[in-house]
C-alpha cells in the first residue's frame, strides 16, 4: 500500500475510534440513568429507611475510589481495547446487582461492586478519549461527556417508563444490562488497541494521585461539589426557600441536567477557540453569578435562572480536568485516576455537606459555600493549561498504535 494510503487509513482509524469511544460514553451514562430511576424500588425491596438508603448510596463512591487505580494496570497488562471491553462489560452487568439485594448489608456489597466497575471503566474510557484527542489535535472531551449525559437521560427515561408500568426492577435491569453489554462490546471493537512497550514498567496497583493531578483535581473538586449540590438540593431549595410547587421544583433539576448535557455537546468548539483556561475561567464566573442569584432569590424564576447559569458554567469543567490530567504526566491513566478519585470524593461528600450545613444554619448559607467554590474555578483555572489543545498534526505524523 502507498504511503498516502497508509496515512489515510490511519486518519480513518482515529476518526472511527472517536465515534466508538463516544458510544462507550453513552453506554456508560445509560447504566447510571437506568439505576437512578429505580432506587425507590430497590429501597422498598430491601426494606430500608431513608437513613439506611443514604448509607448504602455512599458505597458506589467508596468502590470507585478504591478501584480506579487498578484501571491503569489492567490496561497495561491487557491492552486498551481488551481492558475497556472487560471493564465496560463488568460495569453494564453490575447493573443487575443492586436490585437483587434483599437487605442493607447485601445492598452495600452490591453497590460497592457497582461503583468499582464504574470507576475502572470510567478511567479506561477517559484515557482513550484523551489519546484520541491528542491524535486529532482538537478538543473532544466535552462532547464525550455530553454523550455520557445524553446516555444518562436516555437510561433514566427508559427507567421512568419501566417504573410507570410497574415492572420489576430485577427484570428491567437484567434486560437493560444485556442490551447495554451488547452495545458496549460492539463499540469496543473499534476503539484504539493501544499497548504498552515491552520495557514499560507496569503502574502500581494502588497509588496516591500524582502531584500533577492534585491541583487539577482541586478544580474538579470545586466543580463536582457545586454540580452535586445543585442536582441533589435544587428542588428542595425551590420548594423550601422560595415556595415553588413540587412540579416546578422537579422541573428545575431536570432543566439543570439538560443544560449541562447541551453545553457539553457544544463545548468542544468553544474550547478549541478560546482554550481550556479561558473557558473554565468564564465558566467559573457564570457559575458564581448563578450561585449568587440562587442565594438572593426571593421568587422561583430568579432561583431557576441561577441554577441554569450554574449548569452553563460548570458543564465543561470536569471534561477539561480529565483532558488536562491526561497531558500532565508521563502516565495518563494514573493521572486521570487521581483526578477521578478526587472528583468522586467531592461527589460523595457534597450532598451530606450541604445538608449538614443547612441543618446548622440555612440552605442559603450552603449555597453561599457553593458560590465561593464556583469562584475558585475562575481563580485557579490556570492549572488546566495542559488541557489546551495543540495544533492538529498533519496526516503523515498520525501516531500508530503502540503495540508490543
Amino acid at each position: 500500500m502507498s504511503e498516502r494510503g497508509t496515512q489515510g487509513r490511519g486518519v480513518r482509524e482515529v476518526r472511527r475510534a472517536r465515534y466508538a469511544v463516544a458510544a462507550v460514553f453513552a453506554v456508560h451514562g445509560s447504566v447510571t440513568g437506568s439505576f437512578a430511576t429505580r432506587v425507590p424500588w430497590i429501597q422498598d425491596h430491601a426494606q430500608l429507611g431513608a437513613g439506611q438508603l443514604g448509607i448504602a448510596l455512599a458505597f458506589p463512591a467508596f468502590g470507585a475510589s478504591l478501584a480506579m487505580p487498578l484501571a491503569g494496570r489492567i490496561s497495561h497488562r491487557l491492552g486498551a481495547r481488551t481492558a475497556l471491553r472487560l471493564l465496560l462489560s463488568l460495569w453494564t452487568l453490575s447493573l443487575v446487582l443492586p436490585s437483587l439485594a434483599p437487605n442493607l448489608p447485601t445492598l452495600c456489597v452490591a453497590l460497592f461492586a457497582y461503583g468499582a466497575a464504574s470507576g475502572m471503566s470510567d478511567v479506561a474510557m477517559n484515557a482513550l478519549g484523551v489519546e484520541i484527542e491528542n491524535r486529532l489535535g482538537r478538543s473532544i472531551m466535552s462532547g464525550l461527556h455530553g454523550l455520557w449525559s445524553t446516555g444518562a437521560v436516555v437510561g433514566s427515561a427508559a427507567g421512568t417508563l419501566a417504573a410507570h408500568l410497574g415492572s420489576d426492577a430485577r427484570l428491567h435491569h437484567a434486560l437493560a444490562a444485556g442490551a447495554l453489554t451488547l452495545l458496549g462490546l460492539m463499540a469496543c471493537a473499534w476503539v484504539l488497541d493501544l499497548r504498552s512497550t515491552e520495557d514499560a514498567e507496569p503502574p502500581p496497583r494502588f497509588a496516591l494521585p500524582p502531584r500533577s493531578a492534585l491541583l487539577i483535581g482541586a478544580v474538579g473538586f470545586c466543580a463536582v461539589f457545586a454540580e452535586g449540590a445543585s442536582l441533589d438540593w435544587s428542588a428542595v431549595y425551590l420548594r423550601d426557600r422560595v415556595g415553588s410547587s413540587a412540579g416546578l421544583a422537579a422541573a428545575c433539576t431536570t432543566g439543570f441536567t439538560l443544560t449541562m448535557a447541551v453545553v457539553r455537546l457544544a463545548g468542544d468548539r468553544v474550547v478549541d477557540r478560546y482554550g481550556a483556561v479561558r473557558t473554565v475561567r468564564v465558566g467559573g464566573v457564570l457559575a458564581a453569578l448563578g450561585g449568587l442569584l440562587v442565594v438572593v432569590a426571593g421568587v422561583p424564576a430568579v432561583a431557576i435562572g441561577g441554577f441554569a447559569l450554574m449548569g452553563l458554567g460548570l458543564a465543561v469543567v470536569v471534561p477539561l480536568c480529565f483532558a488536562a490530567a491526561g497531558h500532565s504526566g508521563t502516565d495518563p491513566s494514573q493521572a486521570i485516576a487521581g483526578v477521578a478519585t478526587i472528583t468522586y470524593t467531592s461527589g460523595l461528600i457534597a450532598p451530606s455537606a450541604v445538608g449538614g450545613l443547612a441543618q446548622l444554619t440555612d440552605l442559603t448559607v450552603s449555597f453561599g459555600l457553593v458560590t465561593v467554590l464556583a469562584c475558585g474555578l475562575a481563580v485557579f483555572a490556570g492549572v488546566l493549561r495542559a488541557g489546551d489543545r495543540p495544533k492538529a498534526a498533519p496526516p503523515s505524523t498520525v501516531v500508530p498504535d503502540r503495540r508490543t
Side-chain angles (χ1 to χ4, degrees), residues 150-232:
T150 302
V153 171
V154 172
S156 63
T160 299
L161 177 61
H164 178 72
L165 296 175
S167 69
D168 190 306
R170 291 169 293 190
L171 175 62
H172 163 215
H173 283 168
L175 294 174
L180 292 172
T181 300
L182 179 60
L183 290 173
L185 289 173
M186 291 171 61
C188 288
W190 301 105
V191 302
L192 296 177
D193 191 19
L194 306 177
R195 294 181 181 272
S196 301
T197 57
E198 293 181 356
D199 58 345
E201 287 291 329
R205 288 183 175 86
F206 294 98
L208 294 174
R211 290 183 180 179
S212 60
L214 291 177
L215 288 176
I216 297 171
V219 173
F221 182 96
C222 293
V224 172
F225 191 102
E227 180 182 344
S230 299
L231 281 172
D232 291 340

Side-chain angles (χ1 to χ4, degrees), residues 215-217 219-220 276-277 280 317 320-321 324-325 380-388:
L215 288 176
I216 297 171
V219 173
V277 174
V280 172
V317 178
L320 290 179
C321 286
F380 298 108
V383 303
L384 302 183
R385 199 169 304 280
D388 282 330

